[in-house]
Amino acid sequence: MGEMRAKINDANSGVAETIATAEIGLNGAMTRLTKGDLDAEVKDSGSDEIADMARSVETFRENAREAERLRAQNKEAEERAEEQRRTALHEMADGFESSVNTLVTELLTAVNEMRDTADNMERNAGDNVTRAAEVNEASQNASSNVSSVSSATE
């Protein structure tokens, strides 16, 4: 019977060692995962409770990898959206600047045309004053001539 107990104790020690090794391996993998090491290997061989736990940890690891992939994808989408926003703002600013430049050019053209029109009106007014003076002088000469003829006929 002593020999049987020794064999049972050896068997128990072997099982305990196997369980402890599996638990230590699983604990190590879980520790690396909690620190962000998503490449930590999780051994899930077997059909006992520890293997079931290892499969659960592996599922957690795969879900964490997927979450990391989605975060990276989201960040890229945000960066693209920001770049598109900057591009749209630049295009809007360029369009606004172009519109303002066009309006300023049109305004300067209208001012120049108004200046030319004012200069022409000033010249015409000067010409009209000169003509009015000439007409006035001619009228006075005519009036003087009429008076001379009228005096001579009396």
Side-chain angles (χ1 to χ4, degrees):
M1 189 147 343
E3 194 177 306
M4 183 76 126
R5 267 186 194 196
K7 286 185 180 183
I8 291 174
N9 283 340
D10 285 345
N12 283 339
S13 290
V15 168
E17 187 177 320
T18 302
I19 291 172
T21 302
E23 286 178 342
I24 290 169
L26 181 58
N27 185 40
M30 290 170 61
T31 300
R32 288 191 308 276
L33 285 172
T34 60
K35 291 181 179 177
D37 180 6
L38 299 181
D39 294 325
E41 182 180 355
V42 180
K43 294 181 182 176
D44 61 356
S45 59
S47 58
D48 58 6
E49 289 83 5
I50 294 175
D52 289 343
M53 288 171 44
R55 281 187 284 280
S56 295
V57 170
E58 177 64 20
T59 300
F60 171 80
R61 182 177 76 104
E62 291 302 318
N63 288 342
R65 280 182 170 174
E66 179 64 12
E68 187 65 29
R69 185 189 68 78
L70 291 174
R71 273 191 293 276
Q73 187 178 31
N74 189 38
K75 183 179 179 186
E76 288 174 11
E78 287 174 358
E79 288 171 355
R80 279 192 308 273
E82 179 62 25
E83 181 61 30
Q84 289 172 347
R85 185 186 71 78
R86 272 194 301 271
T87 300
L89 286 174
H90 284 295
E91 288 174 357
M92 188 171 44
D94 290 346
F96 179 73
E97 182 180 13
S98 177
S99 295
V100 168
N101 286 340
T102 299
L103 289 173
V104 168
T105 300
E106 290 173 358
L107 181 62
L108 289 174
T109 299
V111 166
N112 287 333
E113 289 175 358
M114 289 176 70
R115 185 181 313 125
D116 290 345
T117 301
D119 289 345
N120 286 338
M121 289 174 69
E122 183 182 12
R123 272 193 305 278
N124 287 341
D127 290 347
N128 289 341
V129 168
T130 302
R131 286 188 192 128
E134 290 172 354
V135 167
N136 185 30
E137 187 181 329
S139 172
Q140 286 177 357
N141 284 341
S143 178
S144 179
N145 289 338
V146 166
S147 290
S148 295
V149 170
S150 173
S151 297
T153 52
E154 286 184 9

